[in-house]
Amino acid sequence: MEGTVLWTPTPEERARANITRYLAWLRETRGLAFDSYDALWRWSVTDLEAFWASIWEFCGVRARRPYACVLEERRVFAARWFPGAELNYAEHALSRRDAHPALVFASEGRPPATITYAELSGKVAAVAAGLRRLGVRRGDRVVAYLPNIPETVIAFLAAASLGAVWSSCSPEFGTRSVVDRFRQIEPRILFAVDGYRYGGREFDRREAIGEIQRQLPTLETTILVPYLGQAGDEPAAGVRPWSAVIAGAPAAECSFEAVPFDHPLWVLYSSGTTGLPKAIVHGHGGVLLEMLKVLTLHLDLGPDDRFFWFTTTGWMMWNFLISGLLLGTTVVLYDGSPAYPDMGALWRLAEQTGMTYFGTSAPYVLACQKAGVEPARDVQLDRLRAIGSTGAPLPPEGFAWVYEHVKRDLLLGSVSGGTDACTAFVLSCPLLPVRAGEIQCRGLGAKIEAFDPEGRPLVDEVGELVITEPLPSMPVGFWNDPDNQRYRASYFETYPGVWRHGDWIKITRDGGCVVYGRSDSTLNRAGVRMGTSEFYRVVEDLPEVLDSLVVDTGELAREGQLLLFVVLRPGVDLDAALRDRIMGKIRQELSPRHVPNKIYAIAEVPRTLSGKKLEVPVKRILAGTPPERAASAGAMSNPASLGVFVDLARGAGPKR
């Protein structure tokens, strides 16, 4: 099934795509003509300066001061882009001030409500004025412990408009995880929520906020959003209610601090499952340019779209989502569980909001498939024209389910990238066909290659995903890493001068891409290496298996055991017959070398808050690492799930 063409754009769809308009603009203004996407991509990664200057002009970037050159020195490590330029991300996000919907927000139990661009601008101006009264200046850190609600977007844009540095965690993060992140950047202001709803339950976070305040010595003021209405009439010391911040500001237009291209916009964090999270700093200009490129040319968004991605504020996809405001698009926010009251919740949201772009994760698509959800039967998706999938590789069966059970006439864009550069490196293109199990293309301006261990490029073979030319949205650096030592060690030690991302990828001769999972969780059996996504595709195809986790306990020059953990449907037992079926399917569809030594039934697979499986931390626990050192419970959606692996390491594991 892999590689089967499932969708091809019509001539009309190709003609009205933004990238077609960009190609015509290049012909008219630059005298450049390209007869294929591949030719355009090769130019974009060869003549970097001309390409990124064209994105600046085509997308209408506004700078208070012009840039002296596009790229000061062409190198991947610590490249300096557009020196001399001064601009502001928030100014571009609020370039509209009219009655067009800016945000549509819904949550569990709340129907969608709309905030216009005029209303959003006014609220941002009010909060920015409140922050000024609190003494917030350019470079100060403003952090948030907030869910995916309009107040979070407003607070972020207000901070960015002042040149302050933003960072956020979602309220389901544990106190330790929040402190581990925020304490690194020494914030002055905390926006927090009294509680949140998830899966039909309410979670009071006031006690957690108090603990966070106590552990952040630089914190001066906490601004409390009464999301559950539990804030109380008498705020605690150092706490101001959101209403007072808004009400205390005179009516005024937004103003924007012009900052250098590489001035910090926000700090994102690595998952933190195996140690102190890396505090990754991104600049105003790099994020602005990359988002304009990706959302305009690859996702093909415009002012008439309603853009959604299911995410929390602790995942980079939130930053990706709200960047839809840069295009004058309507951004759809949702707070709550995607499975409450059932797996059809987000599909009903798509119908209610007139969603045109539905962004989600591969695990969600596969969960809908397993649950027998039928969106094409149950809801009207007339306006839906594209679905985005990320967070894990989407197998061919997931592609097929979308086209059979959601809608046949849409672009299914599987994408892969990372928090590290706050973007997708390999993603969709409205000019290209969709093939089952494949990502359509490498992103414009992103020189993605597959390397063998000696650093030689591969085609039609699996290798390490590397980036061999700089991207504007690569980190400005890590916080408190003045010599860039941690930054260099994180990406540039394997291949000097080349960014190693840590994923397995195959780039086909047609330019398509298949991502096979993390290279640090490779299954290496007798010299035959395999990504975990291939394994999951085969195992989870069995109707009895809802979820799975595979761990190779081997180390360098030492082969260990291959252990498979499966989450089974209710009422299904891991008996000898099912065990034989699983092993037979793996032997037939993968290889005899990858038949697991042991299979265990578990209640749930450990996952991060963004839904990624914790393969490496589980491997470390099985090797004897204490769970508190192997994984940060506060960065997990289900920390109790680690207990079974601790027991197994002690010799008292689950049934197999």
Side-chain angles (χ1 to χ4, degrees), residues 37-243:
Y37 177 82
D38 185 66
L40 175 63
W41 177 81
R42 293 188 183 281
W43 168 74
S44 76
V45 297
T46 302
D47 196 346
L48 287 180
E49 291 83 355
F51 170 71
W52 288 107
S54 78
I55 295 298
W56 182 291
E57 186 174 344
F58 179 77
C59 294
V61 173
R62 296 178 300 283
R64 307 285 183 83
R65 291 186 179 178
Y67 56 85
C69 63
V70 173
L71 185 57
E72 193 168 67
E73 183 179 350
R74 189 160 173 168
R75 60 180 185 177
V76 183
F77 177 71
R80 188 165 179 233
W81 291 90
F82 295 95
E86 292 191 355
L87 41 66
N88 189 288
Y89 172 100
E91 184 172 6
H92 290 78
L94 294 173
S95 58
R96 296 191 74 150
R97 308 287 176 84
D98 58 11
H100 188 75
L103 303 174
V104 174
F105 168 66
S107 65
E108 291 183 7
R110 293 189 186 184
T114 299
I115 296 176
T116 68
Y117 271 93
E119 292 167 337
L120 179 62
S121 177
K123 292 177 185 293
V124 170
V127 173
L131 291 176
R132 283 194 200 93
R133 289 196 303 275
L134 293 172
V136 174
R137 302 181 301 275
R138 177 198 288 206
D140 287 341
R141 274 74 69 201
V142 174
V143 298
Y145 190 51
L146 295 173
N148 186 19
I149 58 178
E151 287 86 350
T152 314
V153 180
I154 293 164
F156 158 64
L157 291 173
S161 74
L162 302 176
V165 184
W166 173 264
S167 193
S168 63
C169 290
S170 57
E172 62 262 34
F173 271 58
T175 304
R176 173 67 180 273
S177 291
V178 176
V179 172
D180 281 350
R181 286 159 172 76
F182 289 166
R183 189 156 52 193
Q184 295 184 65
I185 64 173
E186 300 178 310
R188 290 185 61 186
I189 305 293
L190 169 68
F191 286 90
V193 71
D194 60 346
Y196 66 96
R197 293 182 181 87
Y198 191 89
R201 296 176 56 200
E202 292 190 349
F203 297 86
D204 190 331
R205 303 308 286 163
R206 289 174 294 176
E207 184 175 334
I209 293 167
E211 185 60 30
I212 291 167
Q213 288 176 298
R214 284 189 288 274
Q215 295 194 46
L216 294 179
T218 61
L219 199 63
E220 298 172 2
T221 303
T222 297
I223 299 169
L224 191 62
V225 178
Y227 189 38
L228 296 185
Q230 297 178 345
D233 298 326
E234 296 295 331
V239 176
R240 294 172 182 249
W242 172 269
S243 58

Side-chain angles (χ1 to χ4, degrees), residues 361-371 392-398 401 531-551 564-569 578 581-583 585-586 589-590 599 602 604-607 611-615:
S361 66
Y364 176 76
V365 172
L366 298 177
C368 286
Q369 179 185 5
K370 286 280 186 180
L394 184 65
E397 295 79 7
W401 180 83
T532 54
S533 69
E534 292 180 271
F535 205 94
Y536 298 139
R537 173 189 168 192
V538 170
V539 172
E540 293 170 22
D541 185 51
L542 288 162
E544 296 91 342
V545 180
L546 295 177
D547 204 356
S548 64
L549 182 80
V550 64
V551 176
L564 173 62
F565 303 90
V566 292
V567 179
L568 302 175
R569 285 189 180 278
L578 179 56
R581 285 187 62 210
I582 294 172
M583 291 192 293
K585 189 173 177 64
I586 293 169
E589 298 188 26
L590 292 176
I599 305 175
I602 59 174
E604 55 183 337
V605 169
R607 292 183 182 271
K612 296 179 181 179
K613 300 182 184 186
L614 269 68
E615 296 156 335

Side-chain angles (χ1 to χ4, degrees), residues 309-310 315 358-367 388-392 394 610-611:
W309 214 292
F310 180 77
W315 188 20
F358 182 111
T360 184
S361 66
Y364 176 76
V365 172
L366 298 177
S389 172
T390 192
L394 184 65
S610 59

Side-chain angles (χ1 to χ4, degrees), residues 641-653:
S641 64
L642 293 177
V644 67
F645 304 102
V646 176
D647 291 342
L648 183 59
R650 294 170 178 165

